[in-house]
Amino acid sequence: MASRNADSRTDSGSGSRTGNGSSSSIDAVSLAIIEQLQEDGRRPYAAIGKAVGLSEAAVRQRVQKLLDQGVMQIVAVTDPLTVGFRRQAMVGINVEGDMESVADALTAMDECEYVVMTAGSFDLMVEIVCEDDDHLLEVINRRIRALPGVRSTESFVYLKLKKQTYMWGTR
């Protein structure tokens, strides 16, 4: 399955900014490969090749290049509730000083699944997946709030996940 960074695109050969801030050149064939993998991350390279007009070996090389460039990831996406994680929350964080250093510290925490620097009410938004409420409290109170530069946090505890998809294609 392609990562959230795979939503960047270009016409063949022109530069693009990926979600991670790096510049990348992605042609129409690579975009078609990404779309194939978003439909089914286990689709064989031979089937992808047939759909996009390349050999299996050429698809394998392009996929490896896209992975190496950080344009996409191929992962198993789970419902956290079904694998023992009973608490999810989005946490808005306000920072004094350098928010990148705080973002870097958050990305090092296993519980932080999604870290984004934002403009608006919060400097950072972080999605946290925890085993239970006690675990969530420990992560927010003892680890996030203890980071140098963290001024305040606001937690949005998930009551029910209604939609989670990574099928936005390469628009």
Side-chain angles (χ1 to χ4, degrees), residues 1-3 5 20 34 37 45 59-75:
M1 181 144 313
S3 76
N5 292 341
N20 63 12
I34 291 168
L37 289 169
Y45 290 147
V59 171
R60 185 181 318 277
Q61 289 175 342
R62 282 186 181 246
V63 168
Q64 190 58 54
K65 183 178 177 184
L66 292 166
L67 294 169
D68 291 345
Q69 291 175 333
V71 172
M72 68 176 193
Q73 300 173 9
I74 299 173
V75 298

Side-chain angles (χ1 to χ4, degrees), residues 41-163:
R42 296 175 53 189
R43 183 166 289 156
Y45 290 147
I48 295 170
K50 187 174 183 179
V52 301
L54 293 177
S55 69
E56 178 180 350
V59 171
R60 185 181 318 277
Q61 289 175 342
R62 282 186 181 246
V63 168
Q64 190 58 54
K65 183 178 177 184
L66 292 166
L67 294 169
D68 291 345
Q69 291 175 333
V71 172
M72 68 176 193
Q73 300 173 9
I74 299 173
V75 298
V77 177
T78 61
D79 175 353
L81 288 174
T82 64
V83 293
F85 296 100
R86 292 181 178 83
R87 182 56 66 212
Q88 288 180 269
M90 185 66 70
V91 179
I93 301 171
N94 286 309
V95 175
E96 291 176 347
D98 182 23
M99 75 172 130
E100 285 202 50
S101 62
V102 176
D104 290 342
L106 294 166
T107 62
M109 294 181 191
D110 290 338
E111 295 87 354
C112 297
E113 295 295 319
Y114 183 71
V115 178
V116 62
M117 296 189 296
T118 65
S121 299
F122 299 104
D123 297 314
L124 301 167
M125 294 293 293
V126 181
E127 183 177 43
I128 300 175
V129 178
C130 294
E131 295 167 10
D132 54 30
D133 287 337
D134 289 336
H135 186 197
L136 178 64
L137 178 61
E138 186 268 325
V139 170
I140 294 171
N141 193 45
R142 293 197 177 96
R143 294 173 54 205
I144 293 176
R145 288 183 178 165
L147 291 172
V150 171
R151 183 171 21 123
S152 65
T153 64
E154 185 172 345
S155 302
F156 303 89
V157 175
Y158 296 6
L159 298 176
K160 184 174 184 178
L161 181 63
K162 291 293 283 184
K163 180 178 181 180

